[in-house]
Amino acid sequence: MVSLTIDGIKVEVEKGTTVLEAAKKIGIKIPSLCYLKDINKPSSCRVCVVEVGPRLLASCSLEATEGMDVKTNTRKVREARKTVIQLTLSNHKRECLSCGRNINCELQTLAEEYNIRDVEYEGEIAASAIDDLSASIVRDNEKCIACGRCISVCSNIQTVSAIGWSGRGFETRVSTPYERPLGESNCVNCGQCIMVCPVGALHEKENIQDVWNAIDDENKVVIVQTAPAVRVGLGEEFDLGVGERVTGKMVSALRRLGFDNVFDTDFAADLTIMEEGTELLTRVSKGEKLPLMTSCCPGWVKFIEHNYPEMLDHLSTCKSPHQMLGAVIKSHYANVMGIDPKNIYVVSIMPCVAKKFEGEREELSNEGLQDIDAVLTTRELAQMIKEMGINFAKLEEEEFDHPLGESTGAGVIFGATGGVAEAALRTVYEVLAEKDLEQIEYEAVRGLEGVKEASLELPNGQTLNAVIAHGLGNARKVLDSIKSGEKSYDFIEIMACPGGCVNGGGQPIIKAHLRDDVDAKVVRAKGLYSEDKALPIRKSHKNPSIQKLYKDFLGEPNGHLAHELLHTHYVK
Ligand code: HC0
Ligand code: SF4
């Protein structure tokens, strides 16, 4: 341990702690535009300077040492920070009023806190065209402040390295290899770079107007579905608590926006368990193509396509739940309701930006119709609700439409890392045991450890070895351990985003000043597990609407029709 003084307060910290972290421990806030806990530890922005003796030093990279005397808020410090903020503003494209990050921009907040009323220096902005060719992500380098967070998360956490530094001096910028558009790079569309960007240099490709157009088109039946994780994120956009569960209010809001039906992707998560569980049992009994890998996360699917194409056969052939629901809506539901599928427009509200890319994939269509017509992020949905002037916090709670809105606790937990595995285990075990189980919570697959292993003795005497990874760096570790022969598994769940969909690239961006105190991944996951606990049915195969769908339409899980509509093959 080392002992130091910060602003006259004595503090003891472990050796290796930075001054910025030591200050945080005693409630002293030091601003920074580049440092981000667990993600980025550079000292590029210089906003975090503190005074140590006669010198001004960047506290995010300054190690606390014994007897150090630090001052964080002297006039000299404040003036130095003001100058840095002024300089950053001087070559930043200041479109604050029309920027998607207006009022949730770390640079704007700092400028306000440091009482900056004029931009004193008129700097030059390095000209750069907006890159909007990706289906998921838009980059505007003229707003980039070169903090390096996006590069860190992409390289260190996701191990994708789609973006890096290029150029020198004034021309230094974030770029893809050979300056190709992001959509032509090895980017997997996870959107984690958006989540760490302090300003508006990165955002999702917006589809809001497409959805308004469909709603206003009298010839279209516009059907919406919401992913599990949206219900524990959306409220944050309306200043409700982080992770607060707003399922019922979300459904009311969607009806007020003009959607004809409000269905739940959780229903399709239950359907996925029926299909993927059957696929797992078949592969285990035949001993072929094991391990079975989940295929519901489009960021992960793209990652394996780019990096481990030789393992593509291991991916489950199941489409992801929202795609399955789109396929069921445009076939069975259209038929029952007597609607021409061409006149149905399906919108998925997702906590994810990769789902936008997924929705456009050729593999995910049926008879020339895409399963999904538009994907909106949680943030875009919030935008539409604001545009309609809906007082979200005051909305009455409403229920999803049935039958495609009926779901179980197993479907809800899909949104947290380990949730798909847990939902699958609940069903697979019970189907084999041919009896109802009381204990259905599998603690071993829950939580935020990067790689979680679980072994389950099945009723038929076989042992099922499962592994769960979240964040693509962890996925890489798992795949490499299989390739080297060090590990062997039967079932693998992978989600591209750390924490799973609750922390997807389309979720609300937690304000910087809250991020150190609240881990949104944890709180939002808690919200999903509490919804699971509160639901009367918690196992996918017990969902009455799922049972009816098989009886009336699909036949058997993995049967002919199910294969045609609900399964696919990735062949990149
Ligand atoms: Fe997910 Fe999904 S759980 S990927 O994280 O499987 O986005 O929430 O909607 O489709 O259900 C995201 C979340 C989904 C799908 C489901 C799966
Ligand atoms: Fe990297 Fe993901 Fe951003 Fe693509 S979306 S640049 S993979 S962090």
Side-chain angles (χ1 to χ4, degrees):
M1 297 294 274
V2 293
S3 174
L4 69 158
T5 308
I6 304 179
D7 296 342
I9 303 169
K10 276 221 168 323
V11 55
E12 272 216 339
V13 290
E14 273 181 37
K15 208 171 158 9
T17 307
T18 63
V19 167
L20 187 137
E21 288 159 348
K24 205 161 272 170
K25 196 174 165 194
I26 49 173
I28 294 174
K29 178 178 145 196
I30 299 178
S32 171
L33 286 170
C34 60
Y35 167 86
L36 196 63
K37 197 172 154 222
D38 303 328
I39 307 276
N40 203 28
K41 280 193 179 175
S43 52
S44 60
C45 79
R46 314 296 295 179
V47 175
C48 69
V49 287
V50 293
E51 213 175 330
V52 184
R55 301 174 66 197
L56 285 176
L57 299 168
S59 62
C60 70
S61 54
L62 177 66
E63 189 176 325
T65 52
E66 187 62 39
M68 201 179 226
D69 187 14
V70 181
K71 298 206 167 42
T72 73
N73 55 11
T74 59
R75 185 180 181 120
K76 190 171 158 189
V77 166
R78 295 198 311 271
E79 281 177 357
R81 286 185 189 154
K82 261 192 176 180
T83 304
V84 172
I85 299 165
Q86 280 281 6
L87 286 169
T88 310
L89 284 168
S90 75
N91 56 13
H92 174 72
K93 182 159 83 179
R94 298 186 301 278
E95 287 182 339
C96 305
L97 284 181
S98 56
C99 178
R101 291 294 294 273
N102 190 22
I103 72 167
N104 186 9
C105 164
E106 294 180 42
L107 177 59
Q108 189 186 48
T109 304
L110 265 189
E112 198 275 324
E113 285 176 4
Y114 279 76
N115 197 27
I116 289 170
R117 298 286 172 248
D118 282 315
V119 178
E120 285 177 14
Y121 322 103
E122 215 27 85
E124 203 186 325
I125 298 174
S128 175
I130 291 176
D131 173 8
D132 61 359
L133 295 183
S134 152
S136 300
I137 293 168
V138 178
R139 297 169 61 228
D140 184 353
N141 257 352
E142 293 190 358
K143 289 187 184 166
C144 174
I145 59 168
C147 67
R149 288 181 187 173
C150 55
I151 294 177
S152 286
V153 80
C154 188
S155 306
N156 304 337
I157 308 291
Q158 301 298 59
T159 64
V160 172
S161 304
I163 44 178
W165 294 116
S166 79
R168 287 176 165 226
F170 177 68
E171 295 290 336
T172 306
R173 64 195 167 277
V174 176
S175 159
T176 56
Y178 309 107
E179 312 260 351
R180 304 290 302 154
L182 194 63
E184 292 175 17
S185 74
N186 62 336
C187 166
V188 302
N189 304 305
C190 69
Q192 285 300 305
C193 49
I194 297 176
M195 303 307 278
V196 298
C197 180
V199 294
L202 288 158
H203 60 87
E204 68 268 68
K205 181 80 144 287
E206 262 191 32
N207 293 100
I208 294 176
Q209 201 49 50
D210 301 332
V211 175
W212 283 131
N213 292 345
I215 289 174
D216 291 339
D217 184 340
E218 281 174 11
N219 298 318
K220 293 248 180 286
V221 176
V222 187
I223 298 177
V224 70
Q225 58 168 313
T226 61
V230 175
R231 68 206 66 201
V232 289
L234 183 63
E236 294 161 18
E237 288 281 340
F238 300 95
D239 293 329
L240 300 178
V242 176
E244 190 167 322
R245 193 151 44 98
V246 294
T247 318
K249 288 186 193 301
M250 173 182 76
V251 174
S252 320
L254 289 164
R255 290 218 175 89
R256 277 161 187 69
L257 292 181
F259 289 104
D260 296 301
N261 286 117
V262 184
F263 290 144
D264 196 352
T265 311
D266 297 16
F267 166 88
D270 285 334
L271 185 57
T272 302
I273 290 301
M274 300 305 291
E275 292 296 320
E276 201 166 297
T278 308
E279 194 181 10
L280 176 64
L281 287 173
T282 311
R283 289 202 201 180
V284 167
S285 69
K286 291 187 181 161
E288 62 183 32
K289 286 196 242 162
L290 291 171
L292 173 75
M293 299 173 178
T294 55
S295 57
C296 47
C297 168
W300 148 241
V301 169
K302 199 153 194 267
F303 181 80
I304 189 172
E305 285 176 329
H306 287 171
N307 299 285
Y308 299 88
E310 72 282 6
M311 288 181 153
L312 273 172
D313 253 8
H314 290 268
L315 273 187
S316 159
T317 59
C318 289
K319 290 181 181 175
S320 76
H322 84 121
Q323 298 285 158
M324 283 197 186
L325 192 55
V328 170
I329 290 170
K330 291 190 181 181
S331 55
H332 181 56
Y333 186 75
N335 196 22
V336 169
M337 301 302 287
I339 311 167
D340 181 347
K342 289 196 191 73
N343 293 332
I344 295 184
Y345 191 89
V346 181
V347 180
S348 299
I349 313 289
M350 296 279 131
C352 173
V353 291
K355 294 276 178 196
K356 288 177 183 272
F357 168 81
E358 183 186 45
E360 292 182 6
R361 289 189 72 131
E362 273 171 32
E363 298 94 331
L364 300 170
S365 60
N366 187 40
E367 292 182 0
L369 286 182
Q370 288 303 117
D371 297 332
I372 299 299
D373 297 287
V375 172
L376 300 180
T377 60
T378 311
R379 296 188 292 266
E380 288 173 282
L381 170 60
Q383 188 59 48
M384 290 179 76
I385 295 171
K386 288 173 191 166
E387 199 179 325
M388 278 292 259
I390 295 169
N391 186 343
F392 187 80
K394 292 248 164 77
L395 284 173
E396 292 291 324
E397 305 202 346
E398 289 179 13
E399 301 260 329
F400 286 103
D401 290 321
H402 280 205
L404 305 181
E406 178 165 29
S407 66
T408 71
V412 176
I413 59 174
F414 262 56
T417 165
V420 181
E422 181 165 342
L425 292 177
R426 288 182 189 179
T427 285
V428 164
Y429 195 96
E430 212 166 41
V431 166
L432 284 175
E434 293 179 2
K435 61 173 190 207
D436 285 358
L437 289 181
E438 289 300 314
Q439 176 44 36
I440 56 161
E441 290 175 0
Y442 293 84
E443 291 297 335
V445 300
R446 295 189 180 187
L448 283 182
E449 213 180 304
V451 177
K452 294 168 280 188
E453 291 180 330
S455 277
L456 182 75
E457 182 87 29
L458 295 176
N460 63 2
Q462 273 182 303
T463 303
L464 189 79
N465 292 314
V467 65
I468 291 110
H470 55 112
L472 292 170
N474 291 321
R476 192 183 285 280
K477 280 186 206 154
V478 169
L479 294 194
D480 287 344
S481 74
I482 296 169
K483 263 179 97 169
S484 69
E486 181 199 336
K487 296 277 186 183
S488 141
Y489 302 105
D490 303 305
F491 180 71
I492 304 186
E493 178 205 296
I494 291 178
M495 291 291 176
C497 294
C501 297
V502 285
N503 187 39
Q507 288 285 66
I509 295 171
I510 303 284
K511 293 208 168 82
H513 69 277
L514 290 176
R515 211 173 323 196
D516 282 327
D517 303 324
V518 188
D519 188 346
K521 299 191 277 303
V522 175
V523 196
R524 291 175 185 158
K526 230 172 151 184
L528 293 185
Y529 288 116
S530 74
E531 182 149 317
D532 165 36
K533 248 196 160 125
L535 281 167
I537 305 175
R538 300 176 66 193
K539 301 162 193 164
S540 301
H541 58 290
K542 299 279 182 184
N543 181 335
S545 297
I546 290 283
Q547 292 168 344
K548 192 164 177 335
L549 183 68
Y550 278 104
K551 190 164 154 279
D552 294 352
F553 178 60
L554 288 171
E556 291 301 310
N558 285 196
H560 177 71
L561 193 52
H563 257 288
E564 209 166 279
L565 286 174
L566 311 179
H567 291 249
T568 188
H569 269 289
Y570 296 103
V571 284
K572 278 269 160 72

